[in-house]
Amino acid sequence: MEKAKEILKKTEKQNFLSGLDFSVAIQDLLISEGGWVIDTGNYENVNAECLIRLMHKIEKHPFLWKMFFMIA
């Protein structure tokens, strides 16, 4: 969560967030410390795998997703 917190602080100062920073922050929130989702590739490959895995979890528990994680 440290990288996500750094990006949040920067975002609050700038009042905007780049697509890359958003990707890195979300990855930091989704992937456990010491964890990994792919063994080669770049942040875009990680984005794809994070989305795939997250969607599978949301499909299994749509009510929890709606109640606790949807923001609008």
Side-chain angles (χ1 to χ4, degrees), residues 3-50:
K3 188 65 176 170
K5 287 179 181 178
E6 290 175 26
I7 292 170
L8 176 62
K9 286 180 186 177
K10 183 172 97 173
T11 301
E12 290 173 337
K13 288 180 184 175
Q14 299 177 147
N15 213 24
F16 70 89
L17 180 63
S18 72
L20 176 59
D21 280 345
F22 181 79
S23 294
V24 171
I26 295 299
Q27 289 171 17
D28 192 50
L29 294 172
L30 292 176
I31 302 169
S32 61
E33 186 177 333
W36 54 276
V37 294
I38 61 173
D39 56 356
T40 62
N42 59 22
Y43 80 97
E44 292 169 329
N45 301 114
V46 176
N47 286 345
E49 191 61 30
C50 284

